[in-house]
Amino acid sequence: MKRFRRHGHDSQRDKLKQELYQFNKTVEHGFPHQPSALGYSPDLDLLAIGTRSGAIKLYGAPGVEFMGLHDENATVTQVHFLPHQLELVTLLDDNSLHMWTLRAHQGVSELLEVGRFTLTGPPGAPPSVTRVTTVLAHSSGELLLLGTEGGHVFVVEVPGFRELEERNISVEDVQARIPEEYAPRRNLECVEALQEKPLNPRQVLIGYGRGLMVLWDLDRQCAIQYFLGTQQLESVWWMEDGEHILSSHSDGSYCSWSTTDGDVQSQPEKQDTPYGSFPCKAISKVLQFPTKQGPPFLILSGGMPRASYGDRHCISVIHSKTHIALDFTSRIIDFFVIREGEQHTGDPSALVVLVEEELVVVDLQTEGWPVIQMPYLVPLHCSAITCSHHVSSIPLKLWERILAAGDLQNTHYSNKPWPINGGQNLAPEPPQRDLLLTGHEDGTVRFWDASGVCLYPMYKLSTAGVFHTDADPNDNLNQGAEGEWPPFRKVGCFDPYSDDPRLGIQKIHLCKYSGYLTVAGTAGQILVLELNDEMAEQVVSATVVDLLQGQDGFRWKGHARLDVQEEPVSFPPGFQPFALVQCQPPAVVTAIALHSEWKLVAFGTSHGFGIYDYQQKNVALARCTLNPSDQLAMEGPLSRVKSIKKSLRQSFRRIRRSRVSMRKHQTTNAAKLQEINARLEAEALQEMELAPVQRRIEARSSDDSFTGLVRTLYFADSFITDSAHNTPSLWAGTNGGAVFAYMLRLPPVERRMDDPVTAHQAKEIQLMHRAPVVGLVVLDGRGVPLPEPLEVAHDLARSPDMLASHHLLVISEEQFKLFTLPKVSTKTKLKLTAIDGSRVRRVGVALFGSSRVEDYGENSLVVLTNQGELHVISLPAIKMQVHHPCIRREDVSGIASCVFTKHGQGFYLISPSEFERFSLSARWLVEPRSLVELPDKSTLDPSKARLRDDGRGYDGRGVSDNDNSARHVMEHALLNDEKVLQEIQKSLEGDGGQMGHGDNNIKIPQANILSNGDHCFYTAHQ
């Protein structure tokens, strides 16, 4: 019941909320999960990718992106652009055809589905009669030719999807004139290929599975030439002169046929098997392009010797005396070639290959055929993503230094610009520079430009060189052995295999002001790195920290620590390690914090936490947090689980004993924790639906496992002992609901290298409900979170208010509690669990700017729960502002992967290779805004004939104008596949909050505005 409500104040606050908060899912970054089809429009210069989950994505110039989703959760098997149109047709594996259009609305194009069609055969006909196997979008833009499993070819008028029965080509009509002696004549099998004849689009080549090819005249409705192939047909290709045809076959051969040698040809002019006389795999596709000077380019996929290289995924490129077999690390989906010239009839310039895990573009005009670097569609999962970290507003100097280091790593790429440039990117230039850092299973950290729509790779840091691994430094993936046949060359960057899973990165923290970087790994290793513009050779010695602190009766049963290189290691320009901390036992690092002003790094594991002084290179603190009952904390990630009840814990122990010898991969404790929590909560939800009563926060047992696991670490300069003197301090929160506060004594600047940093415990808080502590924030006298280290020194934040009392905000999984400092007495709290059983999984502080008033903003807490819901909570009042459903609650791994930005945006994995970007801010929004228009008609090929004789033309609007927007967020389709969840689950750890800082109710510099709030929202996902 709402009592004593001041309606004027509430309506004013509600209006302000609308100016501050607005939820949108804006763009997917990365490579589409499980691609299944590839299309390209030379007219529009757009690339299209279809996926197994029914998604369709279009890409043009960097920043030009469109997304669509079929209502049917079916695989997209083919994508075809209609020539000289803004339309494309997709074929799904449920045999349905769908028409999509790029329609302009208020100056921006949208991808809309405007029609659908399914072939219907005569009554009683078997399904194979109408099962579509191949599609030809005729150059007139008015017809689709559909080849089927039964050997028939149906002619369909577009855009209306009206079947022209009088023009259909039945298999009986084709068989009528085949010579009797041709063995396969009685069963031609399915239509494998349909190709329009160059220079005469009224003639179409039909290729059948058993090898027969027929040249059919669409006007005269008859066959005019037969090519009696006897090998299983895979693909056909017209030569530009229209007088020769290439066909590829299942035995690894390709044939050349002439169209000038009579009506019936029983033998090809030429037959060749590129890889010898031994049995070879099928050549699934063959292309040949002439060049102005010199021999043609011959490009074919497959054809490898079956016994020796049958497992390779190869595309062979042959030009003159150069022959290279491009060797990919995943299965080839499809490929096409981009040609020079306005009408794309010049020399081949680039080969575009879609494989299951990446897109690769090869420069065919530069010697050596190097790969062209991708501005988008970069496979984020080259090695499995294990963690991520976002840094906003990077200073220009640091940005340029990172770019320079990355440029030195990219010398093997082609200098040619990106060849696909369709559409216009109308999105405003991002006024600030944002970095997204991803940690990977192979020990690498990748730096991405996350400022705009394209997630662009900037730099890659590898930590493996510090340690001894099984990798051979002499391996060269890009070059096969000299004289090797076939002449393999590895291409692409997808490499899912890790030399040692202990190298996996679990935590990252970058200080954008000092350039110091801290990364922590799976085997208890913490590296401190600094940015160096020159190559350096140095020894990185390890400082071992014993977190057990002499505890008796504990024996580590997990993996051993990594062996450190004892010899000097050469590090390229970029981030170079100068300090290494090794935790004992070598458990997964679960929390880190970096204070570059104090030159301190804090780190935590399931056994305790410590402080490392990286200026003096010694340990300032080591504290054990183990509970005597925490036996599971000693067993390592190979067998680590999280239990809620004692019986469940014992059950998993029995399973672990029987299976631990077979489990080779490393599984993080937090992923297990969330998986078990999700199962238990799913069961509890059914009970809650039957009896929707308000829940109490129940105290957890102190003997639950992992109570000593450190979930969050936080440096603060605040009042910890008395209200008159502020001192540096470290705060640590554990899985058992405990908060430890240590007062730090830093020597003066002139004695910093001589006197040690000391730490003394000052406070210890035990939450009564013992829920895990996932976040800690200290608010100054104005209720504003303390600024980041060096932020005030760089004049980028106001100095914190040290006159009024400070407050400590403790965020547990179940509630938000505000304590006064230094007395640590409760001031206010908000129980999240009391309403719906939600538990906090991710938390951050964000500055929300008003979309109406440029210089007004509020700091708020952004929270993601295990239900997949986003909550915004005001500071310092700790009141709920808005909440929105964002991620499916079953998607435990997506929730675990979420990372927040300082301006109310966020990222989470919707598949192993894709981040979904969302925004809670009404002002700050990053989304694609693109316009695609037909090119000038004068540039179109005048030789393309029109087949309709009724004078009607296609107006681009379609007939089934239902305005169903196809801009659904693709996560719904991706996450319907449980395999997606399992893939991400293997590599993610989901503990610890991503904390941010800012100012509350402060002036916002104009440079922080990412886009204009008046015109950026209508294309966003609703």
Side-chain angles (χ1 to χ4, degrees):
M1 182 177 177
K2 298 177 181 178
R3 295 181 296 174
F4 312 115
R5 182 178 282 259
R6 291 181 296 174
H7 293 285
H9 178 269
D10 288 336
S11 61
Q12 185 178 356
R13 181 61 192 171
D14 289 341
K15 184 178 180 182
L16 184 57
K17 283 182 186 179
Q18 294 176 6
E19 296 170 1
L20 291 173
Y21 313 116
Q22 180 174 334
F23 177 66
N24 291 286
K25 290 184 178 179
T26 56
V27 65
E28 282 109 17
H29 297 299
F31 182 76
H33 184 61
Q34 295 182 331
S36 55
L38 176 68
Y40 176 66
S41 169
D43 301 320
L44 303 177
D45 204 5
L46 291 181
L47 166 81
I49 295 177
T51 72
R52 291 189 205 171
S53 56
I56 179 80
K57 288 190 139 190
L58 272 59
Y59 300 91
V64 176
E65 298 184 13
F66 300 94
M67 297 176 292
L69 183 64
H70 295 87
D71 293 336
E72 301 82 357
N73 188 23
T75 298
V76 180
T77 56
Q78 295 183 43
V79 180
H80 299 274
F81 284 89
L82 299 187
H84 325 310
Q85 309 276 358
L86 291 172
E87 281 70 42
L88 65 152
V89 172
T90 55
L91 172 67
L92 306 189
D93 66 353
D94 64 0
N95 207 41
S96 62
L97 287 157
H98 299 256
M99 177 75 73
W100 299 81
T101 185
L102 286 166
R103 180 175 303 166
H105 175 65
Q106 296 183 4
V108 178
S109 296
E110 297 176 318
L111 181 62
L112 302 172
E113 182 180 351
V114 292
R116 63 187 63 190
F117 172 73
T118 302
L119 271 179
T120 55
S128 62
V129 171
T130 55
R131 181 76 185 176
V132 179
T133 55
T134 186
V135 178
L136 170 63
H138 195 270
S139 60
S140 65
E142 299 169 351
L143 293 181
L144 291 179
L145 276 69
L146 310 177
T148 66
E149 274 186 7
H152 303 281
V153 177
F154 293 84
V155 182
V156 176
E157 184 183 68
V158 287
F161 279 134
R162 182 171 68 91
E163 183 182 341
L164 304 178
E165 295 185 13
E166 68 280 3
R167 293 195 175 187
N168 289 345
I169 306 167
S170 70
V171 68
E172 293 79 15
D173 292 341
V174 172
Q175 289 172 324
R177 290 183 54 195
I178 301 177
E180 290 288 340
E181 62 272 16
Y182 181 59
R185 68 183 300 273
R186 296 191 181 278
N187 182 16
L188 301 180
E189 294 189 355
C190 65
V191 177
E192 285 286 354
L194 287 169
Q195 290 283 334
E196 190 177 311
K197 184 177 181 180
L199 309 180
N200 188 356
R202 290 179 172 82
Q203 295 180 3
V204 173
L205 183 70
I206 308 171
Y208 294 90
R210 291 292 294 273
L212 174 71
M213 293 179 291
V214 177
L215 186 59
W216 186 269
D217 191 297
L218 293 173
D219 289 342
R220 293 157 51 193
Q221 291 292 297
C222 65
I224 54 179
Q225 211 161 8
Y226 288 86
F227 307 91
L228 308 181
T230 55
Q231 286 293 336
Q232 192 77 21
L233 184 70
E234 296 289 329
S235 73
V236 300
W237 178 255
W238 276 103
M239 305 295 281
E240 276 201 342
D241 56 10
E243 297 181 356
H244 292 85
I245 299 167
L246 288 182
S247 62
S248 67
H249 301 276
S250 61
D251 63 348
S253 67
Y254 69 92
C255 303
S256 176
W257 307 78
S258 172
T259 61
T260 59
D261 292 345
D263 294 345
V264 179
Q265 293 186 39
S266 57
Q267 295 293 330
E269 277 188 338
K270 174 188 173 185
Q271 182 170 356
D272 188 18
T273 305
Y275 293 106
S277 56
F278 292 104
C280 293
K281 298 198 74 174
I283 295 177
S284 59
K285 187 173 182 178
V286 62
L287 309 176
Q288 184 166 314
F289 298 94
T291 57
K292 294 176 181 176
Q293 298 175 346
F297 272 89
L298 178 67
I299 302 171
L300 51 92
S301 61
M304 288 291 125
R306 189 176 294 275
S308 305
Y309 305 107
D311 58 342
R312 299 287 186 103
H313 311 289
C314 293
I315 289 181
S316 301
V317 184
I318 304 167
H319 176 62
S320 185
K321 296 181 180 179
T322 306
H323 183 155
I324 289 179
L326 302 172
D327 189 7
F328 299 88
T329 56
S330 56
R331 185 174 63 88
I332 296 166
I333 304 297
D334 201 356
F335 65 93
F336 63 85
V337 170
I338 297 176
R339 302 177 68 178
E340 290 183 323
E342 283 189 359
Q343 296 182 12
H344 302 276
T345 56
D347 287 0
S349 61
L351 169 66
V352 182
V353 185
L354 176 67
V355 296
E356 271 194 333
E357 305 293 350
E358 59 186 322
L359 185 80
V360 179
V361 181
V362 180
D363 177 5
L364 296 178
Q365 294 189 331
T366 302
E367 186 177 357
W369 299 337
V371 171
I372 299 174
Q373 189 170 18
M374 312 278 297
Y376 48 72
L377 285 174
V378 183
L380 306 176
H381 64 317
C382 290
S383 174
I385 295 176
T386 49
C387 66
S388 53
H389 175 65
H390 188 274
V391 189
S392 300
S393 305
I394 302 295
L396 179 60
K397 185 175 181 182
L398 176 63
W399 186 267
E400 290 175 341
R401 294 177 69 190
I402 293 173
L403 273 177
D407 288 343
L408 295 175
Q409 298 176 335
N410 296 333
T411 54
H412 60 286
Y413 285 114
S414 167
N415 293 324
K416 286 290 181 69
W418 181 245
I420 301 171
N421 291 293
Q424 305 171 48
N425 178 16
L426 303 180
E429 284 293 321
Q432 65 182 31
R433 295 166 292 274
D434 289 352
L435 270 180
L436 180 67
L437 284 70
T438 53
H440 297 263
E441 191 181 42
D442 61 356
T444 58
V445 178
R446 286 173 164 83
F447 290 63
W448 307 88
D449 177 358
S451 311
V453 172
C454 294
L455 197 64
Y456 184 77
M458 295 176 63
Y459 167 72
K460 183 177 81 170
L461 163 69
S462 176
T463 63
V466 179
F467 307 99
H468 287 288
T469 64
D470 297 331
D472 182 359
N474 296 318
D475 280 350
N476 187 345
L477 293 178
N478 289 326
Q479 204 64 43
E482 190 169 342
E484 179 187 16
W485 186 261
F488 292 117
R489 191 183 94 190
K490 284 281 186 185
V491 288
C493 61
F494 177 72
D495 182 12
Y497 307 106
S498 172
D499 297 319
D500 193 329
R502 295 175 296 172
L503 291 168
I505 305 298
Q506 299 298 332
K507 295 292 173 187
I508 306 170
H509 193 117
L510 171 67
C511 174
K512 61 187 178 185
Y513 303 111
S514 64
Y516 284 110
L517 172 69
T518 305
V519 296
T522 303
Q525 73 272 24
I526 300 104
L527 281 166
V528 187
L529 308 96
E530 61 181 338
L531 193 54
N532 190 348
D533 300 328
E534 304 293 334
M535 181 177 288
E537 187 171 317
Q538 59 198 32
V539 176
V540 182
S541 55
T543 301
V544 179
V545 181
D546 179 15
L547 290 178
L548 293 181
Q549 293 293 291
Q551 290 266 7
D552 296 328
F554 290 100
R555 184 170 64 88
W556 173 248
K557 302 174 186 177
H559 50 239
R561 66 185 238 190
L562 286 161
D563 296 324
V564 183
Q565 297 271 13
E566 297 176 357
E567 300 296 322
V569 180
S570 179
F571 296 104
F575 283 96
Q576 299 171 351
F578 65 91
L580 169 63
V581 182
Q582 178 62 59
C583 297
Q584 279 296 114
V588 173
V589 178
T590 57
I592 60 169
L594 170 68
H595 201 295
S596 50
E597 192 170 356
W598 301 340
K599 303 292 192 294
L600 299 177
V601 171
F603 51 89
T605 70
S606 53
H607 307 119
F609 61 92
I611 300 175
Y612 178 72
D613 179 353
Y614 61 82
Q615 186 165 0
Q616 293 187 19
K617 295 190 177 180
N618 60 29
V619 178
L621 170 69
R623 164 70 189 259
C624 180
T625 56
L626 268 180
N627 187 297
S629 64
D630 272 355
Q631 289 295 332
L632 281 178
M634 303 306 295
E635 297 182 3
L638 282 174
S639 57
R640 185 175 297 172
V641 294
K642 166 68 181 174
S643 69
I644 305 301
K645 301 294 181 183
K646 187 175 181 180
S647 59
L648 186 60
R649 181 168 66 245
Q650 291 170 344
S651 300
F652 272 84
R653 281 178 177 169
R654 287 194 295 270
I655 295 172
R656 186 171 58 252
R657 291 192 197 103
S658 65
R659 297 183 181 178
V660 69
S661 60
M662 296 184 291
R663 297 175 64 185
K664 301 298 183 184
H665 62 276
Q666 307 289 333
T667 307
T668 60
N669 62 306
K672 288 286 185 184
L673 179 150
Q674 292 160 345
E675 183 180 357
I676 302 302
N677 277 351
R679 290 177 184 172
L680 291 174
E681 288 155 4
E683 296 171 2
L685 278 171
Q686 296 177 355
E687 300 175 8
M688 290 167 59
E689 290 169 2
L690 294 174
V693 298
Q694 183 169 332
R695 291 174 36 135
R696 290 176 53 201
I697 297 180
E698 298 180 0
R700 305 188 185 197
S701 170
S702 62
D703 65 355
D704 272 351
S705 301
F706 291 114
T707 56
L709 184 144
V710 179
R711 294 289 293 270
T712 183
L713 293 163
Y714 181 72
F715 283 112
D717 186 0
S718 186
F719 302 98
I720 192 168
T721 55
D722 59 70
S723 56
H725 303 91
N726 58 296
T727 57
S729 60
L730 172 71
W731 299 78
T734 72
N735 218 38
V739 178
F740 302 96
Y742 276 79
M743 183 174 64
L744 308 178
R745 296 196 183 276
L746 303 174
V749 177
E750 62 273 8
R751 302 284 302 168
R752 184 63 179 83
M753 285 300 295
D754 303 319
D755 297 345
V757 175
T758 58
H760 305 281
Q761 185 168 350
K763 306 284 183 188
E764 181 174 343
I765 306 170
Q766 177 61 61
L767 301 179
M768 296 300 292
H769 58 292
R770 297 182 182 276
V773 177
V774 297
L776 295 164
V777 183
V778 172
L779 306 178
D780 70 4
R782 294 188 299 267
V784 176
L786 296 182
E788 292 184 28
L790 298 174
E791 193 173 13
V792 175
H794 285 76
D795 295 326
L796 295 172
R798 295 168 64 182
S799 297
D801 185 345
M802 293 296 184
L803 299 178
S805 60
H806 286 196
H807 294 85
L808 171 69
L809 176 59
V810 178
I811 302 129
S812 74
E813 280 190 353
E814 299 180 356
Q815 70 177 7
F816 310 88
K817 205 165 188 178
L818 195 65
F819 296 91
T820 60
L821 290 178
K823 290 184 178 181
V824 193
S825 58
T826 304
K827 183 176 181 181
T828 185
K829 62 184 176 182
L830 173 66
K831 295 181 180 181
L832 187 68
T833 303
I835 302 170
D836 59 2
S838 297
R839 293 184 178 177
V840 176
R841 285 291 179 258
R842 289 304 214 193
V843 64
V845 172
L847 174 62
F848 289 90
S850 169
S851 59
R852 186 177 64 88
V853 182
E854 289 186 358
D855 59 354
Y856 180 79
E858 292 183 7
N859 263 306
S860 302
L861 208 61
V862 184
V863 174
L864 176 67
T865 71
N866 62 339
Q867 306 291 319
E869 291 187 339
L870 290 167
H871 297 262
V872 178
I873 297 165
S874 63
L875 292 176
I878 319 298
K879 291 185 178 180
M880 192 76 70
Q881 299 299 303
V882 294
H883 66 91
H884 299 277
C886 180
I887 310 175
R888 294 197 323 165
R889 67 185 180 192
E890 297 85 2
D891 183 14
V892 177
S893 301
I895 293 170
S897 67
C898 183
V899 58
F900 295 118
T901 78
K902 299 294 177 61
H903 297 290
Q905 298 185 58
F907 303 82
Y908 66 93
L909 287 172
I910 55 173
S911 75
S913 59
E914 287 176 288
F915 274 113
E916 171 79 68
R917 187 175 192 141
F918 63 86
S919 174
L920 281 161
S921 172
R923 176 188 289 185
W924 290 307
L925 192 70
V926 174
E927 64 172 356
R929 291 178 52 81
S930 315
L931 178 64
V932 176
E933 298 175 306
L934 281 173
D936 185 358
K937 291 184 179 180
S938 63
T939 65
L940 301 180
D941 190 347
S943 66
K944 304 300 183 185
R946 297 177 62 85
L947 292 179
R948 289 228 294 236
D949 52 8
D950 56 5
R952 289 183 291 128
Y954 182 31
D955 62 1
R957 288 197 299 268
V959 293
S960 178
D961 194 2
N962 51 18
D963 273 337
N964 288 330
S965 172
R967 295 182 58 83
H968 299 297
V969 183
M970 293 203 306
E971 63 167 312
H972 301 298
L974 289 165
L975 295 177
N976 280 335
D977 187 352
E978 292 302 319
K979 292 180 181 178
V980 181
L981 302 180
Q982 293 168 7
E983 282 188 59
I984 318 178
Q985 184 74 42
K986 294 178 183 177
S987 62
L988 281 172
E989 177 198 354
D991 52 357
Q994 304 290 334
M995 302 305 300
H997 308 283
D999 288 332
N1000 199 39
N1001 299 342
I1002 60 169
K1003 298 270 185 176
I1004 305 174
Q1006 182 66 30
N1008 281 339
I1009 300 173
L1010 292 182
S1011 62
N1012 188 315
D1014 294 332
H1015 67 276
C1016 289
F1017 303 127
Y1018 76 92
T1019 57
H1021 297 280
Q1022 299 300 321

